[in-house]
Amino acid sequence: MTTSPYELSAAPDVLARLHPRLRTYFGPVPPGHVGRGEGVFSVVGTPRRWLWPVLACFARDAVMFPVWERDVSFTVENRPVTVRRGRTGQEAHPAVRAHRTFHFRAGDRTMVDAITAEPTGLVDHLGRHGRVSAQLRVAVDASGPDAGALRLVSTHVSFRALGRGPGSQARPARPARRWRVAAERAAPGPDRTACDAHRTIR
């Protein structure tokens, strides 16, 4: 992979505002290599327990989990892949597949997703089978407390059932993610990036 999905989808001036470490993290992963990162999610999940049975169904495919926790540490491994989408399944898109392991109080759980650059922009295909897809808006603040952080906000979510085409949810849908370098951490090695993150379901 010579160009990452983020570089293919976001305007160069937006990515130029990224913190240098995050610029490396969201840059291309060379073929045969693995990008590794670690950090802390300030919050994960939702406090609305009536949603947890639904989230438990999504958890079976490593999409999201029925939890509500703060300051959750995680590790992530990114690999360059090609994702085939479209009605015929023949449309190939460059992607970065991530295995993100959350260290919850009750034990570790791993979320799987693949970020792709598509004609509509940046899309996150969630789960082992990519049956939940979120269109993402990319933003980077130039100033303020989150200067240099990457914000990914889902603007449209679609669901693909077995053997059927996608159903859609037109209204903006969360979760939102914000990636911010933890400046107080020791400098990571060349294949690692330390960061803080924020992920909620509203």
Side-chain angles (χ1 to χ4, degrees):
M1 175 181 289
T2 57
T3 307
S4 76
Y6 300 92
E7 293 169 331
L8 291 171
S9 302
D13 62 312
V14 172
L15 296 181
R17 296 196 292 268
L18 278 173
H19 187 284
R21 273 191 219 160
L22 287 182
R23 208 174 300 154
T24 300
Y25 179 83
F26 291 108
V29 180
H33 289 69
V34 178
R36 294 182 174 90
E38 59 186 11
V40 176
F41 271 80
S42 57
V43 294
V44 178
T46 177
R48 295 176 174 83
R49 287 180 174 265
W50 58 270
L51 282 173
W52 286 18
V54 177
L55 298 183
C57 294
F58 283 109
R60 296 171 190 164
D61 198 38
V63 176
M64 57 187 78
F65 308 106
V67 297
W68 176 242
E69 290 190 20
R70 298 181 181 275
D71 300 324
V72 180
S73 61
F74 71 94
T75 54
V76 60
E77 290 191 349
N78 296 320
R79 291 175 170 82
V81 296
T82 298
V83 172
R84 297 192 177 277
R85 305 294 294 177
R87 294 184 181 277
T88 65
Q90 298 303 310
E91 299 174 14
H93 301 284
V96 173
R97 186 177 302 281
H99 285 71
R100 188 172 294 104
T101 300
F102 297 90
H103 306 299
F104 295 121
R105 289 190 295 270
D108 292 355
R109 301 292 298 270
T110 299
M111 170 187 169
V112 179
D113 70 320
I115 294 279
T116 65
E118 303 187 15
T120 55
L122 199 66
V123 180
D124 193 5
H125 301 290
L126 300 162
R128 297 187 184 93
H129 300 95
R131 294 198 178 103
V132 180
S133 298
Q135 183 81 39
L136 300 175
R137 185 179 72 245
V138 181
V140 179
D141 293 340
S143 59
D146 287 330
L150 180 76
R151 286 186 290 114
L152 300 175
V153 179
S154 55
T155 59
H156 182 93
V157 174
S158 62
F159 305 88
R160 184 167 56 88
L162 269 174
R164 298 186 179 182
S168 65
Q169 177 177 326
R171 67 180 178 81
R174 306 298 172 103
R177 290 189 219 167
R178 182 174 67 247
W179 298 87
R180 181 180 62 245
V181 165
E184 70 275 12
R185 287 180 178 268
D191 64 339
R192 301 192 71 87
T193 294
C195 59
D196 285 343
H198 174 93
R199 187 171 195 260
T200 58
I201 301 170
R202 295 185 178 88

